[in-house]
Amino acid sequence: MSAPQEPLDSVPTPETGDAISQQDEVAALRAELEAAQATIQAQQDQVLRAVAEGENVRRRAQEDVSKARKFGIESFAESLVPVKDSLEAALAQPEQTVETLREGVEMTLKQLSAAFERNQLKDINPAQGDKFDPHQHQAISSVPAPQPANTVVQVLQKGYVIADRTLRPALVIVSAGEG
């Protein structure tokens, strides 16, 4: 059997044979170890905080997107309420002449147009001869015509764009050129 080992802090070092310097070395190593463990603990804490902050930012962004979807049309809806009120008021009138009914419809159309304008909803109504734009127009057919090919001959239904995004393309007939 081997001899009992002496405690580490009292073993003389081979270089100096001094037990005190080894105790100092062990103490210094312990201090370095404690400092390294404290650094690791602080870095782990920073990582956990960063992960938690990232999760909070992601959650808040999702909530913001959800609210934007839910309430994004609120302004537009507020603009349409007076239009509905006007239509209901017109229908509530017992006896109307064609002329007064027409005046009411024209006023209601002005309200609706103002609501569209406030909410950046604009008509796509190309003029005859305008170049066909596949981003804003939908060609229903192509006909021989005296005007250049791929130009609008007739608009069948207006389209709409909202804030530079096509909501509904205009339905058009395009020229195939002279046949």
Side-chain angles (χ1 to χ4, degrees), residues 132 138-144 151 153-154 156 171-176:
F132 175 74
Q138 181 176 347
I140 297 301
S141 65
S142 178
V143 296
T151 57
V153 173
Q154 181 182 358
L156 302 174
L171 301 180
V172 298
I173 296 174
V174 296
S175 170

Side-chain angles (χ1 to χ4, degrees), residues 1-7 11:
M1 266 187 130
S2 64
Q5 294 188 349
E6 294 182 37
V11 176

Side-chain angles (χ1 to χ4, degrees), residues 1 10 12 21 26 29 70-71 84 88 93 99 104 106 122 127 140 143 149 164 173 179:
M1 266 187 130
S10 65
S21 69
V26 169
L29 288 173
K70 188 174 182 181
F71 300 112
K84 184 176 187 285
E88 288 173 344
Q93 296 299 318
E99 186 177 303
E106 287 174 351
K122 299 175 184 157
I140 297 301
V143 296
D164 299 325
I173 296 174

Side-chain angles (χ1 to χ4, degrees), residues 1 37-38 100:
M1 266 187 130
Q37 287 175 334
T100 59

Side-chain angles (χ1 to χ4, degrees), residues 39-50:
T39 301
I40 289 170
Q41 185 62 40
Q43 288 174 345
Q44 285 175 335
D45 186 52
Q46 288 175 343
V47 167
L48 289 175
R49 288 177 189 269

Side-chain angles (χ1 to χ4, degrees), residues 50-81:
V51 168
E53 180 63 23
E55 277 297 310
N56 287 339
V57 167
R58 185 190 59 76
R59 182 185 45 79
R60 282 192 299 266
Q62 282 180 333
E63 289 173 1
D64 290 346
V65 167
S66 176
K67 286 178 184 175
R69 285 184 184 145
K70 188 174 182 181
F71 300 112
I73 64 166
E74 185 174 6
S75 171
F76 189 60
E78 286 176 351
S79 297
L80 292 181
V81 169

